[in-house]
Amino acid sequence: MVTPRVRAQLVALAPEGIAPGRPLALGLRIEHQPDWHTYWKNAGDSGLPTQLTWQLPAGLHAGEIAWPVPQQIRVGDMLNYGYEGTVLLPVPLQVAPDFAPGSDGGVDIRLHASWLVCRVECIPEEGNFLMRLPASAPQTLWSAAFEAAHAQAPLALDTAQASASASDGGERLQLRVAGLPQAAHGQTLALYPETADTLVHAAVLGQDWHQRWDGAVWTADVPLSPMRGEAPPQLASVSPALAAALAANQQAAATLPAPPAPSASTATWLLAVLGGLVGGLLLNLMPCVFPVLAIKVMGFARHGTDTAAQRRHGLAYAAGVVLSFLALGGVLLGLRAAGEQLGWGFQLQSPAVVAALAALFTLIGLNLAGVFEFGHVLPSRVANLHARHPLGDAFLSGVVAVAIASPCTAPFMGASLGFAVGLPAVQALSVFAALGVGMALPYVLVSWVPALLRWLPRPGAWMDTFRRAMAFPMFATVIWLVWVIGQQTGIDGAATLLALLLCLAALAWTLTLRGRTRAVLALLVLALAGWLAHSLGRNLLEPAPVATATSARDTWQPWSPDAQAALLTAGRPVFVDYTAAWCVTCQVNKRTTLADAEVLADFARRNVALLRADWTRRDPAITQALAALGRNGVPVYVLLAPGQPPVVLTELLSRQEVHTALAQL
């Protein structure tokens, strides 16, 4: 389980398998994000200890947590006891003589864990964990972690003699300990009371407690808590202020889909913004953006020496790009705040949006090819809008560029956008704005630097040829969008879209005709399009049947959380390809690196199960899995192995990178 603050994992140690008389231990391993901590069994001045509730098969009995010695965590004028970094909370298990594994030889271990994770603010979290262990197989993957946890556990000293007595009218505690190890003599020692509200924990922060060595005897004088024996059970380890805060958190958790996003440090946020800027620059090199940019560059030649017009168009285009990215980011953040499981690229997960884009690019392609002119098929006031409002036309070009380019951001922005959506709205939107600035920057530079404009050829007959040639990249984009629809809705959906696009092309052609023929043919085409939409339109809305594996020999299997968990429980490594039909980089990697015979042979040699998570249409389970990996878009490639943290590979996947990752198994 992964949250923005911790990564929690159920682990096991069974060096001789699971059977009566053999050692067995379970544990909750918690990796804290920097500055966050959870608590010991006595949390100190504030906090709550981690609690574990087990559901075990008959014959297995869990003991208490063998708490490692905690750290002293100072928060303001309070002293808490807990853990930062990585901690393993081990629990010994007893195996009864009558224990018997399941019919398949497996043992199901279930755990419900709850913890309070704090930095300055505190957030209650909980998780359910399931582990299936083969009873006959040793489980030693986490042996080093268990050994380290046991080494940190407190030890009973047979040679030590300790005494305690009250002083100062029962307000202070006098401690005297003799027989401590020689290495401790003369050292400043820490005191950890196992029970809450016994001592004034924060006294060590000031001068209200004292310790000293009298030869080999350690003595200490510490104030007793005024709340000892009087605190109600529910406040045994929680300060009144924290109790009120926790109550507010629990009430908010009942109405909000997720806890508020943590703020990022200034340095981390600036790195994300810089990543957005660089990613936007590189986005101009993606093939899906080229048709729009080529048309805009051609516009420079049309303006000739009108530098002022060129600069205005550059700024208008940049405004369209930046505002579009801000709008998409705002919609994404708003829908996620409302509880929707969405990620970057969500706009192309809707078949209706994909169909609309296909229609738009079909019209643009037909116009560039000279099939029709907007001035001939539209009323003059509408057709001349781009001439009368050239800045609006440039602005809309930026909007169109973003609409088609946004799914191509993953190779450069996968990690940054995954990080951004977890930030507060202002910081997150600044990353989206930086992405837009980076994409628009080359066009703005060319429009504002006259020296760059000299590289462009003078206006002439070549412009008409260039314009018609640009129709073909537009049609290529339409082919891609039809293929995306096919992946989303099946072959019937793709055929329906092609039929409707044919009607759209025919309508554009009929509107170029004259007289009564124009009206008659246009009405016939509209009637045909209406009938097709009514009869076959559902094909564009219904999802395609989910592909299933036909045999165990199939190379790639459909991904699901249960399939992944079952494979890992069985001890098999898993490689997951998070992909989508509308993701160009995904398709390139799928047909190159992931189809390479040597790569597939390496997977097979190491018995790695291959799962493909198709995010072409919206899938909340995939969205959650991506979020757990710190990603918010595709492609994502992750190698999982039982008992090991996930290995996330780069978006621009190479054969060597895959071989290197597999070599670590």
Side-chain angles (χ1 to χ4, degrees), residues 575 593 596-603 605-606 639 649 653-665:
F575 183 86
T593 300
D596 182 75
E598 292 184 4
V599 170
L600 293 175
D602 203 359
F603 280 130
R605 188 162 49 251
R606 301 175 191 277
L639 181 62
L649 283 66
L653 195 63
S654 68
R655 298 175 180 84
Q656 184 57 47
E657 184 180 11
V658 176
H659 290 308
T660 301
L662 291 175
Q664 304 304 314
L665 293 177

Side-chain angles (χ1 to χ4, degrees), residues 5-23:
R5 293 154 289 276
V6 304
R7 180 193 299 271
Q9 186 176 6
L10 175 61
V11 297
L13 176 65
E16 303 175 22
I18 304 175
R22 296 178 182 175

Side-chain angles (χ1 to χ4, degrees), residues 297-356:
V297 170
M298 187 178 69
F300 286 130
R302 184 181 298 113
H303 291 302
T305 59
D306 190 349
T307 303
Q310 291 166 343
R311 291 178 174 178
R312 289 194 298 269
H313 277 248
L315 293 178
Y317 172 80
V321 170
V322 174
L323 291 179
S324 295
F325 270 116
L326 285 174
L328 283 173
V331 170
L332 173 60
L333 295 174
L335 291 174
R336 285 174 64 93
E340 297 289 333
Q341 293 293 328
L342 296 175
W344 189 243
F346 71 97
Q347 59 275 26
L348 288 186
Q349 290 178 327
S350 167
V353 173
V354 175

Side-chain angles (χ1 to χ4, degrees), residues 625-638:
L626 289 170
L629 296 169
R631 296 293 189 269
N632 196 249
V634 291
V636 172
Y637 306 100
V638 59

Side-chain angles (χ1 to χ4, degrees), residues 31 74 112 118 124 302 339 385 491 498 556 575 599:
E31 297 180 45
R74 305 184 181 193
H112 177 79
C118 299
R302 184 181 298 113
L385 279 176
I491 190 64
L498 284 172
W556 291 91
F575 183 86
V599 170

Side-chain angles (χ1 to χ4, degrees), residues 503 506-507 510 517-531:
C503 290
L507 180 62
T510 59
T517 304
R518 167 175 171 158
V520 172
L521 290 180
L523 288 175
L524 288 175
V525 172
L526 284 173
L528 176 61
W531 177 79

Side-chain angles (χ1 to χ4, degrees), residues 340-386:
E340 297 289 333
Q341 293 293 328
L342 296 175
W344 189 243
F346 71 97
Q347 59 275 26
L348 288 186
Q349 290 178 327
S350 167
V353 173
V354 175
L357 286 173
L360 172 64
F361 278 83
T362 297
L363 286 176
I364 294 176
L366 292 172
N367 173 255
L368 292 173
V371 173
F372 74 95
E373 297 293 338
F374 286 108
H376 296 160
V377 301
L378 297 175
S380 58
R381 291 180 58 85
V382 177
N384 294 328
L385 279 176
H386 75 287

